[in-house]
Amino acid sequence: MKKMLFIYNPKSGKGMIRTHLAEIIDIFTKAEYFVTVHPTQCSGDAGTFARDYGKNYDIVVASGGDGTLDEVVNGMMEADSDVPIGYIPAGSTNDFGSSLSIPKDMLEAAKRIVKGTLFPCDIGGFNDKNFVYVAAFGMFTEVSYETDQNLKNTLGHMAYIVEAAKKVWNIPSLHMKVESADFSVEGNFTYGMVSNAKSVGGIKGLTGGNVELDDGLLEVTLVSTPKNPVELSEIVSALFLGGAESHLVKRFQTERVLFTCENPVAWTLDGERGGEYVSADIFNKRRRLNFISFN
C-alpha cells in the first residue's frame, strides 16, 4: 500500500474536521493508502512533523488553515523533499485552496486528493524562509494573527473585517525602497504584498489579473500612504471594489524584488508572523513543490 502522512489542525474552522475525520480516513484507506494521522499539538508542530517524517511517505496531506499549510510546506522544504502535498482547507479564509480550486467541502476535497493530478507550484522565498502564497507588511497584516480564533469560528470572514476596522484610524507609513529588475521606486507606503495567489484575505482579484501559480513570477502590490480621506477612499475602491486604477496603488510582476528600510519592518508570511527586517529579499522558486490540483 502507498503511505500517506495526514497532518491536521484540530482547532481550524470551528474544529469541523473532527466531524469528518473518520470519513476522510476511510476515503484515503479505500484508495489503498496506509494512513498515519497526526493532529497538531501546538504552533509550529505541523512544520516540525512534516520536516522530520514527511519524506518517508508517498504523499503528505495537510488540513487546516493557510497557516497550517505554510508550516507543512516549510517543513517539507527544510527536508529538501519533493513528496507531493494534498490540502483539505479547514480555515476561515483558505486563499491557497481557492487558488487551486480545491472544494470547500472537506469530504469532496479528500476524494479529489486520491484522484487529482500533480501541479508543480511556485513557492516564494523570503530571505532564508519560504511562503506559499503571500508575504506582506503594513496596514492589515496583523489582522490575521490578532483576530481571536473564537471570533473567526463565529463570524468567519466578518471577523477579519471587524479587526481591520480597528486599524483604519492608525494608518502606518513606512519609507521604503523597492527594487526589481524592471521596476524601482522609493516612497512612503502603508501596505505592500508579494503574492502567488488568485485570492488574498478571501478577496479575489486583489493581486491583479493574469495570475499563474507556476509561471516563475510573483505579483507585487504597493499602496502609497494616503494624505487625506479622499485618497484613502480611492485606495479602497481600487483594491477592493473594482474601481479605477489609482496612482496610489502600484502593481507589477517580477521574479525577484528587494525591499529596504532604515528601521526593521514587521512582515507576515501566509498570515503568520514572519519577523522584522530592514531588508527583505523576496524571490520565486519556480515549480518547487508538487501539489494535488483540481483545475
Side-chain angles (χ1 to χ4, degrees), residues 197-198 205-212 215 219 245 251-253:
K198 298 177 182 179
L206 185 62
T207 58
N210 303 317
V211 177
E212 300 293 339
D215 60 1
E219 283 67 44
E245 288 296 318
R251 290 189 175 104
F252 64 95
Q253 294 180 310

Side-chain angles (χ1 to χ4, degrees), residues 77 120-125 196 212-218 255 283-290:
M77 295 282 284
C121 186
D122 296 347
I123 297 296
N196 187 48
E212 300 293 339
L213 306 187
D214 62 347
D215 60 1
L217 297 174
L218 297 168
E255 296 178 359
F283 50 97
N284 188 294
K285 298 182 179 182
R286 190 175 189 190
R287 302 185 176 185
R288 176 58 182 81
L289 286 178
N290 286 315

Side-chain angles (χ1 to χ4, degrees), residues 8 10 54 80 98 120 144 174 180 186 193 197 204 220 251 271 273:
Y8 75 94
D80 195 25
S98 176
S144 178
L174 302 167
S180 71
E186 184 173 355
M193 69 177 177
K204 292 185 177 181
V220 181
R251 290 189 175 104
R273 295 178 187 271

Side-chain angles (χ1 to χ4, degrees), residues 49-109:
F49 207 83
R51 180 196 66 204
D52 293 346
Y53 302 104
K55 60 186 176 183
N56 300 322
Y57 289 80
D58 297 298
I59 184 174
V60 174
V61 176
S63 183
D66 289 328
T68 301
L69 179 64
D70 175 86
E71 287 189 22
V72 170
V73 165
N74 271 278
M76 300 298 282
M77 295 282 284
E78 288 179 31
D80 195 25
S81 171
D82 58 359
V83 172
I85 297 174
Y87 182 39
I88 301 177
S92 301
T93 305
N94 304 318
D95 286 309
F96 190 72
S98 176
S99 295
L100 282 183
S101 300
I102 298 175
K104 293 182 179 180
D105 182 280
M106 301 182 77
L107 297 182
E108 187 62 30

Side-chain angles (χ1 to χ4, degrees), residues 11-15 90-92 147-160 162:
K11 296 183 180 180
S12 291
K14 302 179 182 180
S92 301
T147 303
D148 182 77
Q149 183 64 51
N150 292 327
L151 194 62
K152 290 181 187 178
N153 293 342
T154 303
L155 300 181
H157 286 128
M158 281 300 298
Y160 293 97
V162 170

Side-chain angles (χ1 to χ4, degrees), residues 151-288:
L151 194 62
K152 290 181 187 178
N153 293 342
T154 303
L155 300 181
H157 286 128
M158 281 300 298
Y160 293 97
I161 296 174
V162 170
E163 188 66 34
K166 302 176 185 177
K167 311 290 182 182
V168 171
W169 305 112
N170 186 27
I171 298 175
S173 182
L174 302 167
H175 188 83
M176 304 187 76
K177 188 174 184 179
V178 184
E179 303 170 278
S180 71
D182 303 313
F183 184 89
S184 180
V185 65
E186 184 173 355
N188 296 320
F189 301 101
T190 190
Y191 179 74
M193 69 177 177
V194 182
S195 61
N196 187 48
K198 298 177 182 179
S199 168
V200 172
I203 303 172
K204 292 185 177 181
L206 185 62
T207 58
N210 303 317
V211 177
E212 300 293 339
L213 306 187
D214 62 347
D215 60 1
L217 297 174
L218 297 168
E219 283 67 44
V220 181
T221 301
L222 300 172
V223 179
S224 297
T225 305
K227 298 182 177 64
N228 52 59
V230 174
E231 289 191 346
L232 178 59
S233 177
E234 182 181 323
I235 289 170
V236 170
S237 177
L239 283 177
F240 307 111
L241 304 179
E245 288 296 318
S246 168
H247 71 283
L248 298 168
V249 179
K250 300 176 177 64
R251 290 189 175 104
F252 64 95
Q253 294 180 310
T254 185
E255 296 178 359
R256 191 172 206 133
V257 60
L258 177 66
F259 291 79
T260 54
C261 188
E262 289 186 0
N263 299 309
V265 172
W267 286 79
T268 62
L269 304 179
D270 297 331
E272 304 295 326
R273 295 178 187 271
E276 297 186 4
Y277 306 87
V278 295
S279 178
D281 180 22
I282 306 176
F283 50 97
N284 188 294
K285 298 182 179 182
R286 190 175 189 190
R287 302 185 176 185
R288 176 58 182 81

